[in-house]
Amino acid sequence: MALLKILEYPDPRLRTRAAAVPEVDDRIRRLVADLLETMYAAPGVGLAATQVDVHLRVIVMDVSEDRSQPMALINPEIIGREDVGSGEEGCLSVPGVTETVTRARRIRVRALDPRGKPLEFDADGLLAVCIQHEMDHLEGKLFVDYLSELKRQRIRKKLVKSARRDGERAPAI
């Protein structure tokens, strides 16, 4: 397993739409393991392959209190949505920022597991929000896209300034 570098907003690679995984093989299982290791180390509750510059439809998450229930979804689709609510969200690609986002509270999901077996299940609460958030990444969308242009500009400026202060190359805008 390997820790992967998480891209940070406004890096344009975060806007890349992920391609479907044609076959779940050892390469994809290794990616899942690396994503989980990276997510836990960050620490976060979810991570999409797009966030580590791998543009395949793979997401991982673990919303359990003790971080003991890792989940990986390959080629996930939301096939049903119910009830809408708002809640605070943050993102490993937008460090130090949380904002209120409106999403479905309950969803029905179809995907493949890391063995390539089909899954279909209902999710609610934090799991539903996490799946929707990570699936947005697969479409090249970030939670900041749900915010006003003014808020996005402020967040962008804050992250670019922080990167410069930390001696990193400022992300492309």
Side-chain angles (χ1 to χ4, degrees):
M1 293 195 300
L3 282 177
L4 306 171
K5 179 166 177 28
I6 298 172
L7 302 176
E8 292 186 5
Y9 177 76
D11 192 307
R13 293 172 291 179
L14 289 166
R15 299 301 184 177
T16 304
R17 191 168 191 275
V21 173
E23 177 187 6
V24 179
D25 55 16
D26 287 341
R27 180 178 66 100
I28 297 301
R29 285 184 279 279
R30 190 169 27 263
L31 173 61
V32 165
D34 291 347
L35 287 169
L36 284 166
E37 182 177 2
T38 303
M39 178 194 74
Y40 286 130
V45 296
L47 189 65
T50 300
Q51 291 177 270
V52 297
D53 204 20
V54 176
H55 303 287
L56 293 171
R57 298 187 73 77
V58 178
I59 63 175
V60 299
M61 64 217 75
D62 186 342
V63 298
S64 65
E65 291 274 329
D66 62 357
R67 302 169 71 76
S68 65
Q69 297 172 22
M71 176 183 282
L73 301 177
I74 299 156
N75 296 334
E77 302 171 69
I78 295 175
I79 57 175
R81 297 175 197 264
E82 288 181 28
D83 197 17
V84 174
S86 297
E88 287 288 306
E89 288 188 31
C91 180
L92 294 174
S93 290
V94 189
V97 176
T98 60
E99 290 288 341
T100 301
V101 177
T102 300
R103 296 194 186 270
R105 291 182 192 201
R106 284 187 295 283
I107 58 174
R108 181 135 189 98
V109 180
R110 182 182 299 146
L112 299 174
D113 74 10
R115 296 176 313 245
K117 301 222 184 288
L119 298 170
E120 193 167 309
F121 63 94
D122 295 315
D124 61 11
L126 180 56
L127 180 58
V129 168
C130 188
I131 290 169
Q132 291 171 87
H133 178 108
E134 300 311 330
M135 285 183 64
D136 275 353
H137 281 297
L138 302 180
E139 298 300 324
K141 188 172 185 176
L142 289 95
F143 88 101
V144 295
D145 296 337
Y146 292 93
L147 308 177
S148 70
E149 180 61 29
L150 178 61
K151 280 189 178 184
R152 274 195 307 277
Q153 296 259 347
R154 285 182 183 156
I155 291 167
R156 184 181 300 122
K157 285 179 185 176
K158 175 183 171 185
L159 292 175
V160 168
K161 183 178 178 181
S162 176
R164 285 187 183 132
R165 185 180 56 243
D166 295 341
E168 297 175 13
R169 193 177 123 260
I173 296 177

